[in-house]
Every structure is written in structure tokens, then in C-alpha cells.
Amino acid sequence: MEPALQRYRVMALVVGVMLLVLVLVAVPLRYGFDVPQVSKVVSPLHGFLYIVYLVAAFDLAMRARWTAKGTVLVLLAGVVPFLSFWAERRVTAQVRAGLPL
């Protein structure tokens, strides 16, 4: 279970950082300063990394036997700024304690 948890943790942090870069840097540059180059790189990169996050989170969900509701909530955590950081901490605590999510 620990390797699946580590994969999930890494991807949650990476996706969270990329989402913050997208929302706080790339989008303002694109729409506020007419500099679309950063968004053209960060947007697809975040999209690809989010898919990897989904795979890692789903793998952990299956191994830890999460409920459908818990699984869906964790999967959606990668699309709300800052939420993936909070979800990662909560998931890590729950999995290490052997509690269901």
C-alpha cells in the first residue's frame, strides 16, 4: 500500500503546484497582459499530469478500498486550487491509520 500512497502523494503535490501556476501565473498573463505562451505550455502539461494523478489516486482507492464517494472527491481534488494539498494530507493520514475514506 505504501508505494501506491507515495505515487498518489507525489502526483497530488505536482498537480496542486501546476494548478496554482496555471491559475495564478499563466491565466493572468494570458488574459491580463496578452502573453499566451505560458498558458500554452502550462495548460496541456497540467492536463496530462492531472490524468496521471487520476490513475495514481484511483489505484490507491482500489487498494485501500475507498467508498465511491470518497474516491470521486479525491479525484476531483486536482481541479480546485489548494484542495489537492488538503486532500493529500487527509488521505495520507486516513490510509496510514487504516481507516476508510
Side-chain angles (χ1 to χ4, degrees):
M1 182 90 64
E2 193 64 31
L5 179 60
Q6 284 304 109
R7 287 189 297 272
Y8 164 75
R9 292 184 73 195
V10 167
M11 289 313 304
L13 294 175
V14 168
V15 165
V17 169
M18 289 303 297
L19 183 57
L20 289 178
V21 170
L22 180 65
V23 171
L24 300 176
V25 177
V27 170
L29 283 175
R30 180 180 196 123
Y31 295 107
F33 299 98
D34 199 31
V35 180
Q37 293 83 357
V38 177
S39 179
K40 286 182 180 181
V41 171
V42 174
S43 295
L45 185 57
H46 170 69
F48 173 76
L49 292 171
Y50 179 67
I51 291 170
V52 175
Y53 167 82
L54 291 176
V55 171
F58 191 75
D59 177 51
L60 181 61
M62 294 295 100
R63 292 173 191 268
R65 301 181 191 265
W66 295 348
T67 64
K69 179 182 174 184
T71 302
V72 169
L73 291 175
V74 171
L75 294 176
L76 291 175
V79 298
V80 179
F82 297 105
L83 187 57
S84 67
F85 302 119
W86 177 82
E88 182 271 327
R89 300 305 300 164
R90 181 164 185 244
V91 165
T92 299
Q94 295 286 98
V95 168
R96 287 192 173 150
L99 301 173
L101 189 67

Coordinates of all heavy atoms in Angstrom, one line a residue:
M1 N 0.8 -1.2 0.0 CA 0.0 0.0 0.0 C 0.9 1.3 0.0 O 0.5 2.2 -0.6 CB -0.9 0.0 1.2 CG -1.8 1.1 1.3 SD -3.4 0.9 0.5 CE -4.1 -0.4 1.5
E2 N 2.0 1.2 0.7 CA 2.9 2.4 0.8 C 3.3 2.9 -0.6 O 3.3 4.1 -0.8 CB 4.0 2.1 1.7 CG 4.8 3.4 2.1 CD 4.0 4.4 3.0 OE1 3.1 3.9 3.7 OE2 4.3 5.6 2.9
P3 N 3.8 2.0 -1.5 CA 4.2 2.6 -2.8 C 3.0 3.3 -3.6 O 3.3 4.4 -4.2 CB 4.6 1.3 -3.6 CG 5.0 0.4 -2.6 CD 4.1 0.6 -1.4
A4 N 1.8 2.8 -3.5 CA 0.7 3.4 -4.1 C 0.4 4.8 -3.4 O 0.1 5.8 -4.1 CB -0.6 2.5 -4.0
L5 N 0.5 4.8 -2.1 CA 0.3 6.1 -1.4 C 1.4 7.1 -1.8 O 1.1 8.3 -2.0 CB 0.4 5.8 0.1 CG 0.2 7.1 1.0 CD1 -1.1 7.8 0.8 CD2 0.4 6.7 2.5
Q6 N 2.6 6.7 -1.9 CA 3.7 7.6 -2.3 C 3.5 8.1 -3.7 O 3.7 9.3 -4.0 CB 5.1 6.9 -2.2 CG 5.6 6.8 -0.8 CD 5.7 8.1 -0.1 OE1 4.9 8.3 0.8 NE2 6.6 8.9 -0.5
R7 N 3.1 7.3 -4.6 CA 2.7 7.8 -6.0 C 1.6 8.8 -6.0 O 1.7 9.8 -6.6 CB 2.3 6.6 -6.9 CG 3.5 5.7 -7.3 CD 3.1 4.7 -8.4 NE 2.1 3.8 -7.9 CZ 2.3 2.6 -7.3 NH1 3.6 2.2 -7.1 NH2 1.3 1.8 -7.0
Y8 N 0.6 8.5 -5.2 CA -0.5 9.5 -5.0 C 0.0 10.8 -4.5 O -0.4 11.8 -4.9 CB -1.6 8.9 -4.2 CG -2.6 9.9 -3.7 CD1 -3.5 10.5 -4.6 CD2 -2.5 10.4 -2.4 CE1 -4.3 11.5 -4.2 CE2 -3.3 11.5 -2.0 CZ -4.3 12.0 -2.9 OH -5.1 13.0 -2.5
R9 N 0.8 10.7 -3.4 CA 1.2 11.9 -2.7 C 2.0 12.8 -3.7 O 1.9 14.0 -3.7 CB 2.1 11.6 -1.5 CG 1.3 10.9 -0.4 CD 2.1 10.7 0.8 NE 2.3 12.0 1.5 CZ 3.3 12.2 2.4 NH1 4.0 11.2 2.8 NH2 3.4 13.4 2.9
V10 N 2.9 12.2 -4.4 CA 3.8 13.0 -5.4 C 2.9 13.6 -6.4 O 3.0 14.8 -6.7 CB 4.8 12.1 -6.0 CG1 5.5 12.7 -7.2 CG2 5.9 11.6 -5.0
M11 N 2.0 12.9 -7.0 CA 1.1 13.4 -8.0 C 0.2 14.5 -7.5 O -0.1 15.5 -8.1 CB 0.3 12.3 -8.7 CG 1.2 11.4 -9.6 SD 2.3 12.4 -10.7 CE 1.2 13.4 -11.6
A12 N -0.3 14.3 -6.2 CA -1.2 15.4 -5.7 C -0.4 16.7 -5.5 O -1.0 17.7 -5.8 CB -1.7 14.9 -4.3
L13 N 0.8 16.6 -5.1 CA 1.6 17.8 -4.9 C 2.0 18.4 -6.2 O 1.9 19.6 -6.4 CB 2.9 17.5 -4.1 CG 2.6 17.1 -2.6 CD1 3.9 16.7 -2.0 CD2 1.9 18.2 -1.9
V14 N 2.3 17.6 -7.2 CA 2.7 18.1 -8.5 C 1.5 18.8 -9.2 O 1.6 19.9 -9.7 CB 3.3 17.0 -9.4 CG1 3.4 17.4 -10.9 CG2 4.6 16.5 -8.9
V15 N 0.4 18.1 -9.2 CA -0.8 18.7 -9.8 C -1.3 19.9 -9.1 O -1.7 20.9 -9.7 CB -2.0 17.6 -9.8 CG1 -3.3 18.2 -10.1 CG2 -1.7 16.5 -10.8
G16 N -1.2 19.9 -7.7 CA -1.5 21.2 -7.0 C -0.7 22.3 -7.4 O -1.2 23.5 -7.6
V17 N 0.6 22.1 -7.5 CA 1.6 23.2 -7.8 C 1.3 23.6 -9.3 O 1.2 24.9 -9.6 CB 3.0 22.7 -7.7 CG1 4.0 23.7 -8.3 CG2 3.4 22.6 -6.2
M18 N 1.1 22.7 -10.2 CA 0.8 23.1 -11.6 C -0.5 23.8 -11.7 O -0.6 24.8 -12.5 CB 0.8 21.8 -12.5 CG 2.1 21.2 -12.7 SD 3.4 22.3 -13.4 CE 2.6 22.7 -15.0
L19 N -1.5 23.5 -10.9 CA -2.8 24.2 -11.0 C -2.6 25.6 -10.5 O -3.2 26.6 -11.0 CB -3.8 23.5 -10.2 CG -5.2 24.1 -10.2 CD1 -5.7 24.2 -11.7 CD2 -6.2 23.2 -9.4
L20 N -1.8 25.8 -9.4 CA -1.5 27.1 -8.9 C -0.8 28.0 -9.9 O -1.1 29.1 -10.1 CB -0.8 27.1 -7.6 CG -1.6 26.5 -6.4 CD1 -0.7 26.5 -5.1 CD2 -2.8 27.4 -6.1
V21 N 0.2 27.4 -10.6 CA 0.9 28.1 -11.6 C 0.0 28.5 -12.7 O 0.0 29.6 -13.2 CB 2.1 27.2 -12.2 CG1 2.7 27.9 -13.4 CG2 3.2 27.0 -11.1
L22 N -0.9 27.6 -13.1 CA -1.9 27.9 -14.2 C -2.8 29.0 -13.8 O -3.0 30.0 -14.5 CB -2.7 26.6 -14.5 CG -3.7 26.7 -15.5 CD1 -3.1 27.0 -16.9 CD2 -4.6 25.5 -15.6
V23 N -3.4 28.9 -12.6 CA -4.4 29.9 -12.1 C -3.7 31.3 -11.7 O -4.3 32.3 -12.0 CB -5.2 29.3 -11.0 CG1 -6.1 30.4 -10.3 CG2 -6.0 28.2 -11.5
L24 N -2.6 31.2 -11.1 CA -2.0 32.4 -10.5 C -1.0 33.1 -11.5 O -0.7 34.3 -11.3 CB -1.3 32.2 -9.2 CG -2.3 31.6 -8.1 CD1 -1.5 31.3 -6.8 CD2 -3.4 32.6 -7.8
V25 N -0.5 32.4 -12.4 CA 0.5 32.9 -13.3 C 0.1 32.9 -14.8 O 0.0 34.0 -15.4 CB 1.9 32.2 -13.2 CG1 2.9 32.8 -14.2 CG2 2.4 32.3 -11.8
A26 N -0.2 31.7 -15.3 CA -0.5 31.6 -16.7 C -1.8 32.3 -17.2 O -1.7 33.0 -18.2 CB -0.5 30.1 -17.1
V27 N -2.8 32.1 -16.5 CA -4.1 32.7 -16.9 C -4.0 34.3 -16.8 O -4.4 35.0 -17.7 CB -5.3 32.2 -16.1 CG1 -6.6 32.9 -16.3 CG2 -5.5 30.7 -16.4
P28 N -3.5 34.8 -15.7 CA -3.4 36.3 -15.6 C -2.5 36.8 -16.7 O -2.8 37.9 -17.3 CB -2.8 36.6 -14.2 CG -3.2 35.4 -13.4 CD -3.2 34.3 -14.3
L29 N -1.4 36.1 -17.0 CA -0.5 36.6 -18.1 C -1.3 36.5 -19.5 O -1.1 37.5 -20.3 CB 0.7 35.7 -18.2 CG 1.8 36.0 -17.2 CD1 2.9 35.0 -17.3 CD2 2.4 37.4 -17.3
R30 N -2.0 35.5 -19.7 CA -2.8 35.3 -20.9 C -3.8 36.4 -21.1 O -3.9 37.0 -22.2 CB -3.4 34.0 -21.0 CG -4.1 33.7 -22.3 CD -4.7 32.3 -22.4 NE -5.1 32.1 -23.8 CZ -4.7 31.1 -24.5 NH1 -3.9 30.2 -23.9 NH2 -5.0 30.9 -25.7
Y31 N -4.7 36.6 -20.1 CA -5.8 37.5 -20.3 C -5.6 38.9 -19.8 O -6.3 39.8 -20.2 CB -7.0 36.9 -19.6 CG -7.5 35.6 -20.2 CD1 -7.2 34.3 -19.6 CD2 -8.0 35.6 -21.5 CE1 -7.6 33.2 -20.3 CE2 -8.4 34.4 -22.1 CZ -8.2 33.2 -21.5 OH -8.5 32.1 -22.2
G32 N -4.6 39.1 -18.9 CA -4.4 40.4 -18.4 C -3.3 41.1 -19.1 O -3.3 42.4 -19.2
F33 N -2.3 40.4 -19.6 CA -1.1 41.0 -20.3 C -0.9 40.5 -21.7 O 0.1 40.8 -22.3 CB 0.1 40.8 -19.4 CG 0.0 41.3 -18.0 CD1 -0.4 40.5 -17.0 CD2 0.2 42.7 -17.8 CE1 -0.5 41.0 -15.7 CE2 0.1 43.2 -16.5 CZ -0.3 42.4 -15.5
D34 N -1.9 39.8 -22.2 CA -1.8 39.3 -23.6 C -0.5 38.5 -23.9 O 0.2 38.7 -24.9 CB -2.0 40.4 -24.6 CG -2.4 39.9 -26.0 OD1 -3.0 38.9 -26.1 OD2 -2.0 40.6 -27.0
V35 N -0.1 37.6 -22.9 CA 1.1 36.8 -23.1 C 0.6 35.3 -23.0 O 0.6 34.7 -21.9 CB 2.1 37.1 -22.0 CG1 3.3 36.2 -22.2 CG2 2.5 38.5 -22.0
P36 N 0.2 34.7 -24.1 CA -0.4 33.4 -24.1 C 0.6 32.3 -24.1 O 0.2 31.1 -23.9 CB -1.2 33.3 -25.4 CG -0.5 34.2 -26.3 CD 0.1 35.4 -25.5
Q37 N 1.9 32.6 -24.2 CA 2.9 31.5 -24.3 C 3.0 30.6 -23.1 O 3.1 29.4 -23.2 CB 4.3 32.1 -24.6 CG 4.4 32.7 -26.0 CD 3.9 34.2 -26.0 OE1 3.4 34.7 -25.0 NE2 4.0 34.8 -27.2
V38 N 2.9 31.2 -21.9 CA 3.0 30.4 -20.7 C 1.8 29.5 -20.6 O 1.9 28.3 -20.2 CB 3.1 31.4 -19.5 CG1 3.1 30.6 -18.2 CG2 4.3 32.2 -19.6
S39 N 0.6 30.0 -20.9 CA -0.6 29.2 -20.8 C -0.6 28.1 -21.8 O -1.1 27.0 -21.5 CB -1.8 30.1 -21.0 OG -3.0 29.4 -21.0
K40 N 0.0 28.3 -23.0 CA 0.0 27.3 -24.0 C 0.9 26.1 -23.6 O 0.8 25.0 -24.1 CB 0.5 27.9 -25.3 CG -0.5 28.7 -26.0 CD 0.0 29.2 -27.3 CE -1.1 30.0 -28.0 NZ -0.6 30.5 -29.3
V41 N 1.8 26.3 -22.6 CA 2.7 25.3 -22.1 C 2.1 24.7 -20.9 O 2.0 23.4 -20.7 CB 4.1 25.8 -21.8 CG1 5.0 24.8 -21.1 CG2 4.8 26.3 -23.1
V42 N 1.7 25.5 -19.9 CA 1.2 25.0 -18.6 C -0.1 24.3 -18.7 O -0.3 23.3 -18.0 CB 1.2 26.2 -17.6 CG1 0.6 25.8 -16.3 CG2 2.6 26.8 -17.4
S43 N -1.0 24.8 -19.5 CA -2.4 24.2 -19.6 C -2.3 22.7 -20.0 O -2.9 21.8 -19.3 CB -3.3 25.0 -20.6 OG -3.5 26.2 -20.1
P44 N -1.7 22.4 -21.2 CA -1.6 20.9 -21.5 C -0.8 20.1 -20.6 O -1.1 18.9 -20.3 CB -1.0 20.9 -22.9 CG -0.7 22.3 -23.3 CD -1.1 23.2 -22.2
L45 N 0.2 20.7 -20.0 CA 1.1 20.0 -19.0 C 0.2 19.6 -17.8 O 0.3 18.5 -17.3 CB 2.3 20.8 -18.6 CG 3.3 20.2 -17.7 CD1 3.8 18.8 -18.3 CD2 4.5 21.1 -17.5
H46 N -0.5 20.6 -17.3 CA -1.4 20.3 -16.2 C -2.4 19.3 -16.5 O -2.7 18.4 -15.7 CB -2.1 21.6 -15.7 CG -3.2 21.3 -14.7 ND1 -2.9 20.8 -13.4 CD2 -4.5 21.3 -14.8 CE1 -4.1 20.6 -12.8 NE2 -5.1 20.9 -13.6
G47 N -3.0 19.3 -17.7 CA -4.0 18.3 -18.1 C -3.4 16.9 -18.2 O -4.0 16.0 -17.7
F48 N -2.2 16.8 -18.7 CA -1.5 15.5 -18.7 C -1.2 15.0 -17.3 O -1.5 13.8 -17.0 CB -0.2 15.5 -19.5 CG 0.6 14.3 -19.5 CD1 0.2 13.2 -20.2 CD2 1.7 14.2 -18.6 CE1 0.9 12.0 -20.1 CE2 2.4 13.0 -18.5 CZ 2.0 11.9 -19.3
L49 N -0.7 15.9 -16.5 CA -0.4 15.5 -15.1 C -1.6 15.2 -14.3 O -1.6 14.3 -13.4 CB 0.5 16.6 -14.4 CG 1.9 16.7 -15.0 CD1 2.5 18.0 -14.4 CD2 2.7 15.5 -14.7
Y50 N -2.7 15.8 -14.6 CA -4.0 15.5 -13.9 C -4.4 14.1 -14.2 O -4.9 13.4 -13.4 CB -5.1 16.6 -14.2 CG -6.4 16.3 -13.6 CD1 -6.5 16.4 -12.2 CD2 -7.5 15.8 -14.3 CE1 -7.7 16.1 -11.5 CE2 -8.7 15.6 -13.7 CZ -8.8 15.7 -12.3 OH -9.9 15.4 -11.7
I51 N -4.2 13.7 -15.5 CA -4.6 12.3 -15.9 C -3.7 11.3 -15.1 O -4.2 10.3 -14.6 CB -4.5 12.1 -17.4 CG1 -5.6 13.0 -18.1 CG2 -4.6 10.7 -17.8 CD1 -5.5 13.1 -19.5
V52 N -2.4 11.6 -15.0 CA -1.6 10.7 -14.2 C -2.0 10.7 -12.7 O -2.0 9.7 -12.1 CB -0.1 11.2 -14.3 CG1 0.8 10.3 -13.4 CG2 0.4 11.1 -15.8
Y53 N -2.4 11.9 -12.2 CA -3.0 12.0 -10.8 C -4.2 11.1 -10.7 O -4.3 10.4 -9.7 CB -3.3 13.4 -10.5 CG -4.1 13.6 -9.3 CD1 -3.6 13.6 -8.0 CD2 -5.5 13.8 -9.4 CE1 -4.3 13.8 -6.9 CE2 -6.3 14.0 -8.3 CZ -5.7 14.0 -7.0 OH -6.5 14.2 -5.9
L54 N -5.1 11.1 -11.7 CA -6.3 10.3 -11.6 C -6.0 8.8 -11.5 O -6.6 8.1 -10.8 CB -7.2 10.6 -12.9 CG -7.8 11.9 -13.0 CD1 -8.6 12.0 -14.3 CD2 -8.8 12.2 -11.8
V55 N -5.0 8.4 -12.3 CA -4.6 7.0 -12.3 C -4.0 6.6 -10.9 O -4.3 5.6 -10.4 CB -3.6 6.7 -13.4 CG1 -2.9 5.3 -13.3 CG2 -4.2 6.9 -14.8
A56 N -3.1 7.5 -10.4 CA -2.5 7.2 -9.1 C -3.5 7.2 -8.0 O -3.5 6.3 -7.1 CB -1.4 8.3 -8.8
A57 N -4.5 8.1 -8.0 CA -5.5 8.2 -7.0 C -6.4 7.0 -7.1 O -6.8 6.4 -6.1 CB -6.3 9.5 -7.1
F58 N -6.8 6.7 -8.3 CA -7.7 5.5 -8.5 C -7.0 4.2 -8.1 O -7.7 3.4 -7.4 CB -8.2 5.4 -9.9 CG -9.3 4.5 -10.1 CD1 -10.6 4.8 -9.7 CD2 -9.1 3.2 -10.7 CE1 -11.6 3.9 -9.9 CE2 -10.1 2.3 -10.9 CZ -11.4 2.6 -10.5
D59 N -5.8 4.1 -8.4 CA -5.0 2.9 -7.9 C -5.0 2.8 -6.4 O -5.3 1.7 -5.9 CB -3.6 2.9 -8.5 CG -2.7 1.8 -8.0 OD1 -3.2 0.6 -8.1 OD2 -1.6 2.0 -7.5
L60 N -4.7 3.9 -5.8 CA -4.8 3.9 -4.3 C -6.2 3.6 -3.8 O -6.3 2.9 -2.8 CB -4.2 5.2 -3.7 CG -4.2 5.4 -2.2 CD1 -3.3 4.3 -1.6 CD2 -3.7 6.8 -1.8
A61 N -7.2 4.2 -4.4 CA -8.5 4.0 -4.0 C -8.9 2.5 -4.0 O -9.6 2.0 -3.1 CB -9.5 4.8 -4.8
M62 N -8.5 1.8 -5.1 CA -8.8 0.4 -5.2 C -8.1 -0.4 -4.2 O -8.6 -1.4 -3.6 CB -8.5 -0.1 -6.6 CG -9.3 0.5 -7.7 SD -11.1 0.0 -7.6 CE -11.8 1.4 -6.9
R63 N -6.8 -0.1 -3.9 CA -6.0 -0.9 -3.0 C -6.5 -0.6 -1.5 O -6.5 -1.5 -0.7 CB -4.6 -0.5 -3.1 CG -3.9 -0.9 -4.3 CD -2.5 -0.3 -4.4 NE -1.9 -0.5 -5.8 CZ -1.2 -1.6 -6.1 NH1 -0.9 -2.5 -5.2 NH2 -0.7 -1.7 -7.3
A64 N -6.9 0.6 -1.2 CA -7.4 1.0 0.1 C -8.9 0.7 0.3 O -9.4 0.9 1.4 CB -7.0 2.4 0.4
R65 N -9.5 0.3 -0.8 CA -11.0 0.0 -0.7 C -11.8 1.2 -0.2 O -12.6 1.1 0.7 CB -11.2 -1.2 0.1 CG -10.5 -2.4 -0.4 CD -10.9 -3.7 0.5 NE -10.0 -4.8 0.1 CZ -10.3 -5.7 -0.7 NH1 -11.5 -5.7 -1.3 NH2 -9.5 -6.7 -1.0
W66 N -11.6 2.3 -0.9 CA -12.4 3.5 -0.6 C -13.8 3.4 -1.1 O -14.1 2.6 -2.0 CB -11.8 4.8 -1.2 CG -10.4 5.2 -0.7 CD1 -9.8 4.7 0.3 CD2 -9.5 6.1 -1.3 NE1 -8.5 5.3 0.5 CE2 -8.4 6.2 -0.6 CE3 -9.6 6.9 -2.5 CZ2 -7.3 7.0 -0.9 CZ3 -8.6 7.8 -2.8 CH2 -7.5 7.8 -2.0
T67 N -14.7 4.2 -0.5 CA -16.0 4.2 -1.0 C -16.0 5.0 -2.3 O -15.1 5.7 -2.6 CB -17.0 5.0 0.0 OG1 -16.5 6.3 0.1 CG2 -17.0 4.3 1.4
A68 N -17.1 4.8 -3.1 CA -17.2 5.5 -4.3 C -17.2 7.1 -4.1 O -16.6 7.8 -4.9 CB -18.5 5.1 -5.1
K69 N -17.9 7.5 -3.1 CA -18.0 8.9 -2.8 C -16.6 9.5 -2.4 O -16.2 10.5 -3.0 CB -18.9 9.2 -1.6 CG -19.0 10.7 -1.2 CD -19.9 10.8 0.0 CE -19.9 12.3 0.4 NZ -20.7 12.4 1.7
G70 N -15.8 8.8 -1.6 CA -14.5 9.2 -1.2 C -13.6 9.2 -2.4 O -12.8 10.1 -2.6
T71 N -13.7 8.2 -3.3 CA -12.9 8.2 -4.5 C -13.1 9.3 -5.4 O -12.2 10.0 -5.8 CB -13.1 6.8 -5.2 OG1 -12.8 5.7 -4.4 CG2 -12.3 6.8 -6.5
V72 N -14.4 9.6 -5.7 CA -14.7 10.7 -6.5 C -14.3 12.1 -6.0 O -13.7 12.9 -6.7 CB -16.3 10.8 -6.8 CG1 -16.7 12.0 -7.5 CG2 -16.7 9.6 -7.7
L73 N -14.4 12.3 -4.7 CA -14.0 13.5 -4.1 C -12.5 13.7 -4.2 O -12.0 14.8 -4.5 CB -14.4 13.6 -2.6 CG -15.9 13.7 -2.4 CD1 -16.3 13.7 -0.9 CD2 -16.5 15.0 -3.0
V74 N -11.7 12.7 -4.0 CA -10.3 12.7 -4.1 C -9.9 13.0 -5.6 O -9.0 13.8 -5.9 CB -9.6 11.5 -3.5 CG1 -8.1 11.5 -3.9 CG2 -9.8 11.5 -2.0
L75 N -10.6 12.3 -6.5 CA -10.3 12.5 -7.9 C -10.5 14.0 -8.3 O -9.8 14.5 -9.1 CB -11.1 11.6 -8.8 CG -10.8 10.1 -8.6 CD1 -11.7 9.2 -9.5 CD2 -9.3 9.8 -9.0
L76 N -11.6 14.6 -7.8 CA -11.9 16.0 -8.1 C -11.0 17.0 -7.4 O -11.0 18.2 -7.8 CB -13.4 16.3 -7.8 CG -14.4 15.5 -8.7 CD1 -15.8 15.8 -8.2 CD2 -14.2 16.0 -10.2
A77 N -10.3 16.6 -6.4 CA -9.4 17.5 -5.7 C -8.3 18.1 -6.5 O -7.8 19.2 -6.2 CB -8.8 16.8 -4.5
G78 N -8.0 17.5 -7.7 CA -7.0 18.1 -8.5 C -7.4 19.2 -9.4 O -6.6 19.8 -10.2
V79 N -8.7 19.6 -9.3 CA -9.2 20.7 -10.2 C -9.5 22.0 -9.4 O -9.9 22.9 -10.0 CB -10.4 20.2 -11.0 CG1 -10.0 19.1 -12.0 CG2 -11.6 19.8 -10.2
V80 N -9.4 21.9 -8.1 CA -9.7 23.1 -7.3 C -8.4 23.6 -6.6 O -7.7 22.8 -5.9 CB -10.7 22.8 -6.2 CG1 -11.0 24.0 -5.3 CG2 -12.0 22.2 -6.8
P81 N -8.0 24.8 -6.9 CA -6.7 25.3 -6.3 C -6.6 25.1 -4.8 O -7.6 25.3 -4.1 CB -6.7 26.8 -6.7 CG -7.5 26.9 -7.9 CD -8.6 25.8 -7.7
F82 N -5.5 24.6 -4.3 CA -5.2 24.3 -2.9 C -5.9 23.1 -2.4 O -5.4 22.5 -1.4 CB -5.5 25.5 -2.0 CG -4.7 26.7 -2.3 CD1 -5.3 27.8 -2.9 CD2 -3.4 26.8 -1.9 CE1 -4.6 29.0 -3.2 CE2 -2.6 27.9 -2.2 CZ -3.2 29.0 -2.8
L83 N -6.9 22.6 -3.0 CA -7.6 21.4 -2.4 C -6.8 20.1 -2.5 O -6.9 19.3 -1.6 CB -9.0 21.2 -3.2 CG -9.9 20.2 -2.6 CD1 -10.2 20.5 -1.1 CD2 -11.2 20.1 -3.4
S84 N -6.0 20.0 -3.5 CA -5.2 18.8 -3.6 C -4.2 18.6 -2.5 O -3.9 17.6 -2.0 CB -4.5 18.7 -5.0 OG -3.5 19.6 -5.1
F85 N -3.7 19.8 -2.0 CA -2.8 19.8 -0.8 C -3.5 19.3 0.4 O -3.0 18.4 1.2 CB -2.2 21.1 -0.6 CG -1.5 21.7 -1.7 CD1 -1.9 22.9 -2.3 CD2 -0.4 21.1 -2.3 CE1 -1.2 23.4 -3.4 CE2 0.3 21.6 -3.3 CZ -0.1 22.8 -3.9
W86 N -4.7 19.8 0.7 CA -5.5 19.4 1.8 C -5.9 17.9 1.7 O -5.8 17.2 2.7 CB -6.8 20.3 1.9 CG -7.7 19.9 3.1 CD1 -7.5 20.2 4.4 CD2 -8.8 19.0 3.0 NE1 -8.6 19.6 5.1 CE2 -9.3 18.9 4.3 CE3 -9.4 18.4 1.9 CZ2 -10.5 18.1 4.5 CZ3 -10.6 17.6 2.1 CH2 -11.1 17.5 3.4
A87 N -6.4 17.5 0.5 CA -6.8 16.1 0.3 C -5.6 15.2 0.5 O -5.8 14.1 1.1 CB -7.4 16.0 -1.1
E88 N -4.4 15.6 0.0 CA -3.3 14.7 0.2 C -3.0 14.4 1.7 O -2.7 13.3 2.0 CB -2.1 15.4 -0.5 CG -0.8 14.5 -0.5 CD 0.1 14.8 0.8 OE1 0.1 15.9 1.2 OE2 0.7 13.9 1.3
R89 N -3.0 15.5 2.5 CA -2.8 15.3 3.9 C -3.8 14.4 4.6 O -3.5 13.5 5.4 CB -2.7 16.7 4.6 CG -1.7 17.6 4.1 CD -0.3 17.0 4.1 NE 0.1 16.7 5.5 CZ 1.2 15.9 5.8 NH1 1.9 15.4 4.8 NH2 1.4 15.6 7.0
R90 N -5.1 14.6 4.2 CA -6.1 13.8 4.8 C -6.1 12.4 4.3 O -6.2 11.5 5.1 CB -7.5 14.4 4.4 CG -8.6 13.6 5.0 CD -9.9 14.4 5.0 NE -10.9 13.7 5.7 CZ -12.0 13.2 5.1 NH1 -12.2 13.4 3.8 NH2 -12.9 12.5 5.8
V91 N -5.8 12.2 3.0 CA -5.7 10.8 2.5 C -4.6 10.1 3.2 O -4.7 8.9 3.6 CB -5.6 10.8 1.0 CG1 -5.1 9.5 0.4 CG2 -6.9 11.2 0.3
T92 N -3.4 10.7 3.3 CA -2.2 10.1 3.9 C -2.5 9.7 5.3 O -2.2 8.5 5.7 CB -1.0 11.1 3.8 OG1 -0.7 11.4 2.5 CG2 0.2 10.4 4.5
A93 N -3.2 10.5 6.1 CA -3.5 10.2 7.5 C -4.5 9.0 7.5 O -4.3 8.1 8.3 CB -4.1 11.4 8.2
Q94 N -5.5 9.1 6.7 CA -6.5 8.0 6.7 C -5.9 6.7 6.3 O -6.2 5.6 6.9 CB -7.7 8.4 5.8 CG -8.5 9.6 6.2 CD -9.4 9.3 7.4 OE1 -9.0 9.6 8.5 NE2 -10.5 8.8 7.1
V95 N -5.1 6.7 5.2 CA -4.5 5.4 4.7 C -3.6 4.8 5.7 O -3.6 3.6 6.0 CB -3.9 5.6 3.4 CG1 -3.0 4.4 3.0 CG2 -4.9 5.9 2.3
R96 N -2.7 5.7 6.3 CA -1.7 5.2 7.3 C -2.4 4.7 8.5 O -1.9 3.8 9.2 CB -0.7 6.3 7.6 CG 0.2 6.4 6.4 CD 1.4 7.3 6.7 NE 2.4 7.2 5.6 CZ 3.2 8.2 5.3 NH1 3.2 9.3 6.1 NH2 4.0 8.1 4.3
A97 N -3.6 5.2 8.9 CA -4.3 4.8 10.1 C -5.2 3.6 9.8 O -5.7 3.0 10.7 CB -5.2 5.9 10.6
G98 N -5.2 3.2 8.5 CA -6.0 2.1 8.1 C -7.5 2.3 8.1 O -8.3 1.4 8.2
L99 N -7.9 3.6 8.0 CA -9.3 4.0 8.0 C -9.8 4.1 6.6 O -9.1 4.5 5.7 CB -9.5 5.3 8.8 CG -9.0 5.3 10.3 CD1 -9.1 6.7 10.8 CD2 -9.9 4.4 11.1
P100 N -11.1 3.8 6.4 CA -11.7 4.0 5.1 C -11.9 5.5 4.8 O -12.0 6.3 5.6 CB -13.0 3.3 5.2 CG -13.4 3.3 6.6 CD -12.1 3.3 7.4
L101 N -12.0 5.8 3.5 CA -12.2 7.1 3.0 C -13.5 7.2 2.3 O -13.9 6.4 1.6 CB -11.1 7.5 2.1 CG -11.0 9.0 1.7 CD1 -10.7 9.9 2.9 CD2 -10.0 9.2 0.6

